[in-house]
Amino acid sequence: MPSNKDDGGWKKFVWDSEKGELLGRTGSSWFKIIAFYVVFYGCLAGIFIGTIQALLLTLSNYKPTWQDRVAPPGLSHTPRSDKSELSFNLNDMGTYLPYTKALREFMAKYNDELQRDQMKYEDCGEEPATYKDRGELISDIGTRKACRFSRSLLGPCSGIEDNEFGFKEGKPCVIVKLNRIVSFRPKPPPSNASVPDEAQSKVQPNVIPIYCTNRREEDAGKIGEIKYYGIGGGFPLQYYPYYGKLLHPHYLQPLVALQFTNLTLNTELRIECKVFGENIDYSDKDRYQGRFDIKLSINSL
């Protein structure tokens, strides 16, 4: 059969010398379509860049624009597991080694030698005091100093003398902090009536009190004594407000150490800790908003 030479095959489609077409288009046609898409996508890129720049002009370098949509504050603890469960055996160091390691790493940033720079840190007292005002967020003052917080304030839970943080003796420590929120000023409870009866002994001026108790009725009487270490046994107001990473890069959150000194052994216990304040709320959807609960289990068998 004779070969089909009507269209010249694919070679003629790529380049047609008779019509001067490349891939079915002449040079002027290619120029027009390329110019169109260059202008089209250039305009899209310009609109995109313009909207981003306009958005950036509405944002502050010092404070989140929509911070009012955050329900403050979060309460967190160290050591912490995925299921908020601390379980270990007194006779097996390997079972509590991850907890003590996490505590040592967390407390390392509170070493006294790291807080000696007079240009970065200042003494704010070891007794509760009112807020430490360091000016407005947007001003020419620049970087703000941070209050020192010595590990020694946490007593036997500081890790200075006992680097096992009480776990070896069955008296474990948990370090608690309020999460950082720019410009947030936690307010103490307006009255004792806003605090449960069992926690009213923790209320004092210039402190956000924290109180822990059994979460389940069946655990009543099994928790034993809980000791609170820190300034005023809570979160003192002189460490607030926080000015953000840009203006307050060396900020140290005040800490509270909880030591469970007489837990019932070989039993899983549910413990809830809450902070109390006029502008502190709780949510069933967020178990760390103003509170947290942990499962504690110490085995001796």
Side-chain angles (χ1 to χ4, degrees):
M1 294 178 60
S3 60
N4 186 359
K5 299 181 180 180
D6 292 341
D7 57 4
W10 64 271
K11 292 182 179 181
K12 189 172 183 179
F13 172 74
V14 174
W15 172 246
D16 189 338
S17 58
E18 295 178 0
K19 297 180 181 180
E21 294 179 345
L22 177 66
L23 298 177
R25 289 184 179 274
T26 62
S28 61
S29 177
W30 276 114
F31 174 79
K32 291 176 182 179
I33 197 170
I34 291 174
F36 169 80
Y37 280 109
V38 167
V39 173
F40 177 72
Y41 285 111
C43 290
L44 288 182
I47 293 172
F48 176 77
I49 294 173
T51 54
I52 293 297
Q53 291 298 323
L55 177 63
L56 291 176
L57 291 175
T58 67
L59 301 179
S60 170
N61 292 327
Y62 306 101
K63 183 178 180 180
T65 302
W66 303 112
Q67 190 175 358
D68 58 333
R69 298 185 181 184
V70 178
L75 188 69
S76 57
H77 61 87
T78 302
R80 183 175 173 179
S81 64
D82 293 337
K83 298 181 179 180
S84 296
E85 180 176 354
L86 302 183
S87 179
F88 63 96
N89 193 307
L90 286 175
N91 302 314
D92 185 358
M93 179 182 293
T95 59
Y96 58 80
L97 183 61
Y99 304 139
T100 56
K101 180 181 178 182
L103 284 165
R104 284 192 290 270
E105 291 176 351
F106 176 78
M107 293 304 301
K109 66 175 74 72
Y110 285 85
N111 288 339
D112 289 343
E113 59 268 21
L114 300 179
Q115 305 179 46
R116 291 173 181 166
D117 192 332
Q118 299 292 336
M119 301 299 293
K120 299 177 181 178
Y121 299 95
E122 62 180 328
D123 290 324
C124 297
E126 295 185 2
E127 295 296 328
T130 191
Y131 306 107
K132 191 76 172 179
D133 195 347
R134 294 181 170 87
E136 298 295 328
L137 276 175
I138 303 177
S139 68
D140 56 1
I141 298 177
T143 301
R144 313 307 203 267
K145 289 185 178 181
C147 288
R148 293 185 175 92
F149 190 93
S150 175
R151 294 178 60 168
S152 60
L153 293 168
L154 302 182
C157 292
S158 65
I160 298 174
E161 297 181 0
D162 177 15
N163 61 5
E164 301 296 340
F165 297 90
F167 279 80
K168 187 176 182 179
E169 288 77 31
K171 300 178 180 180
C173 294
V174 174
I175 308 298
V176 185
K177 62 182 177 67
L178 281 174
N179 292 345
R180 302 179 183 185
I181 299 178
V182 178
S183 294
F184 178 63
R185 296 174 183 248
K187 298 179 181 180
S191 66
N192 284 0
S194 62
V195 180
D197 293 341
E198 62 273 16
Q200 289 188 6
S201 61
K202 307 290 296 179
V203 178
Q204 58 178 303
N206 297 322
V207 169
I208 302 300
I210 179 173
Y211 181 75
C212 302
T213 187
N214 55 288
R215 182 171 176 81
R216 304 180 302 189
E217 289 294 334
E218 58 265 33
D219 291 337
K222 299 179 182 179
I223 305 299
E225 182 184 14
I226 302 175
K227 293 185 177 181
Y228 302 80
Y229 298 99
I231 299 178
F235 301 99
L237 301 187
Q238 66 259 42
Y239 286 81
Y240 303 95
Y242 168 55
Y243 284 80
K245 289 184 178 180
L246 189 62
L247 298 179
H248 227 163
H250 308 291
Y251 176 77
L252 294 173
Q253 293 152 280
L255 305 176
V256 175
L258 312 173
Q259 187 172 31
F260 303 94
T261 61
N262 191 25
L263 292 171
T264 300
L265 302 180
N266 306 310
T267 303
E268 182 183 274
L269 304 172
R270 291 284 300 274
I271 301 173
E272 182 181 61
C273 298
K274 299 176 70 173
V275 288
F276 300 93
E278 183 178 347
N279 56 349
I280 295 176
D281 299 314
Y282 317 102
S283 171
D284 292 334
K285 297 180 180 180
D286 185 355
R287 61 180 182 178
Y288 288 102
Q289 182 181 328
R291 64 182 176 183
F292 68 82
D293 67 87
I294 58 175
K295 298 178 183 178
L296 261 173
S297 178
I298 305 177
N299 300 309
S300 61
L301 304 178

